[in-house]
Amino acid sequence: MGDAVTQDKPGEQWCSGVEHLGPSASELRRLARQLAPCAELDGVLRACTQAEVYDALFQDPILLQFPSPVSYRRKLCKFVVDVKKLMAESEHDGLVEECFEAVSAASPRSLFDGHLVLPCGSAAPLVLRVSRGTGGELETGGRVWPAARVLSELGSEGKLPWQGEGPCKVLELGAGTGIAGLSLLRLGAASEVILTDGYPAVVENLEYNINATAAAGKQVLPARASVLQWENPWTPGDHDVVLATDVCYHPPSFPALAAALDALLPCTHGAILVNEVRSEETWNGLARELQRAGLRVVEHRVETQVEGCFGMLVVSKPV
């Protein structure tokens, strides 16, 4: 599934790479790009020949250019060896070689482990470089968190408050890997996105993910990344909506978030915060802090296919 990426900027070649694959092999490739748990691949893996498995996993132009995390490739290839009985019933030398090479691969020394490739409706996929979660600025900002997936899901279903009125200019706080803002751009729900985070290392990775996602679709994206500290927010311009996902887990940061939203509002569609509700006390505490800052808050609970309990706060300044 490709060697570790060493270049600073992604290349520009992309194709879907599924046209020649059968249904089971196409599904196997789709799931592997998304880093799906091995158990989810069992059925389609058993339905594929060894040659189809090789084509799906090791001849994918996306995964060759943007390899999956080494840890995931190792687990996946161990699973392939077991399910396809490669030790006893090898029919494809290339598959055997690639699997055993992946199983024995050393973990990378860099902060980044590989890429997550996510489908985005009928548009080209998102390509997100993810970290190994080894501490530092990328401990949280280099991962994909559940609420970002929920917001992307809401956008794909046309359930965000402004959808139906046309695409808008999005400013995202605590953007992490950029999955939320970039997915809305791909889906046509955003005309432009500004992805921000308080940590320079996260912003550098956001720039990489913008370039990688652009390369996957062979297009320039109307997106940029910038450092934004909640304690000292700058006004980026004529954004229509402020977004934030899974930023509401540390109560001491709530006053700074409320101050940032107060500075960035009003805008046409206000602010939308989507979060996993891990603690009702923490979730309600955020709403109270925003109200103390003079902001109007409307709460919704979100029905989603993503596992967990999720809430949405629609925040605006009183008229």
Side-chain angles (χ1 to χ4, degrees), residues 116 118 128 130-131 133 137-152 174-180 197 245-247 249 274-276 278 306-307 310:
L116 171 66
L118 293 174
L128 307 174
V130 293
S131 76
E137 294 182 356
L138 292 164
E139 176 65 28
T140 57
R143 305 183 189 186
V144 173
W145 294 92
R149 291 181 181 269
V150 171
L151 190 141
S152 299
T177 61
I179 175 178
D197 200 276
T245 63
D246 257 336
V247 298
Y249 56 88
V274 177
N275 215 77
E276 183 172 4
R278 302 174 179 89
V306 180
E307 184 177 351
F310 297 88

Side-chain angles (χ1 to χ4, degrees), residues 284-305:
N284 293 333
L286 173 64
R288 289 194 298 269
E289 187 65 43
L290 296 174
Q291 290 166 342
R292 275 197 291 268
L295 300 171
R296 180 174 180 267
V297 180
V298 179
E299 180 194 1
H300 305 272
R301 290 301 167 108
V302 179
E303 294 184 3
T304 174
Q305 298 180 28

Side-chain angles (χ1 to χ4, degrees), residues 31-147:
L31 291 170
R33 286 178 174 184
Q34 297 179 63
L35 314 184
C38 290
E40 293 185 19
L41 278 67
D42 186 87
V44 291
L45 186 59
R46 294 180 187 278
C48 293
T49 66
Q50 291 187 15
E52 287 175 325
V53 174
Y54 177 79
D55 286 344
L57 299 182
F58 299 105
Q59 297 300 304
D60 180 356
I62 282 285
L63 292 182
L64 287 170
Q65 187 175 5
F66 303 109
S68 304
V70 170
S71 56
Y72 180 78
R73 280 181 277 162
R74 190 181 294 128
K75 287 188 292 186
L76 175 58
C77 287
K78 285 181 179 178
F79 190 67
V80 171
V81 169
D82 181 49
V83 171
K84 304 307 291 184
K85 298 180 172 60
L86 296 186
M87 294 292 288
E89 303 175 12
S90 173
E91 302 168 1
H92 195 288
D93 291 342
L95 178 61
V96 174
E97 182 180 345
E98 291 283 1
C99 281
F100 281 99
E101 181 179 332
V103 168
S104 60
S107 298
R109 294 182 179 180
S110 70
L111 293 174
F112 297 99
D113 194 16
H115 301 80
L116 171 66
V117 180
L118 293 174
C120 209
S122 59
L126 305 184
V127 179
L128 307 174
R129 186 170 62 174
V130 293
S131 76
R132 295 191 291 127
T134 54
E137 294 182 356
L138 292 164
E139 176 65 28
T140 57
R143 305 183 189 186
V144 173
W145 294 92

Side-chain angles (χ1 to χ4, degrees), residues 229-272:
Q229 302 286 350
W230 294 353
E231 298 84 354
N232 186 29
W234 44 266
T235 303
D238 56 344
H239 56 280
D240 300 314
V241 64
V242 178
L243 296 182
T245 63
D246 257 336
V247 298
C248 314
Y249 56 88
H250 186 51
S253 71
F254 291 173
L257 176 58
L261 290 175
D262 184 59
L264 294 167
L265 298 174
C267 55
T268 304
H269 300 291
I272 297 171

Side-chain angles (χ1 to χ4, degrees), residues 154-227:
L154 292 172
S156 69
E157 297 173 352
K159 294 181 179 179
L160 292 172
W162 75 85
Q163 289 182 283
E165 301 179 27
C168 66
K169 295 180 181 179
V170 171
L171 169 67
E172 184 175 1
L173 302 179
T177 61
I179 175 178
L182 290 175
S183 67
L184 296 182
L185 200 57
R186 274 281 193 252
L187 293 165
S191 58
E192 178 183 339
V193 295
I194 304 171
L195 306 175
T196 74
D197 200 276
Y199 292 116
V202 175
V203 172
E204 182 179 346
N205 193 48
L206 282 168
E207 292 171 345
Y208 178 97
N209 290 343
I210 290 170
N211 291 332
T213 297
K218 294 184 177 179
Q219 62 183 150
V220 176
L221 293 177
R224 60 187 174 93
S226 182
V227 174

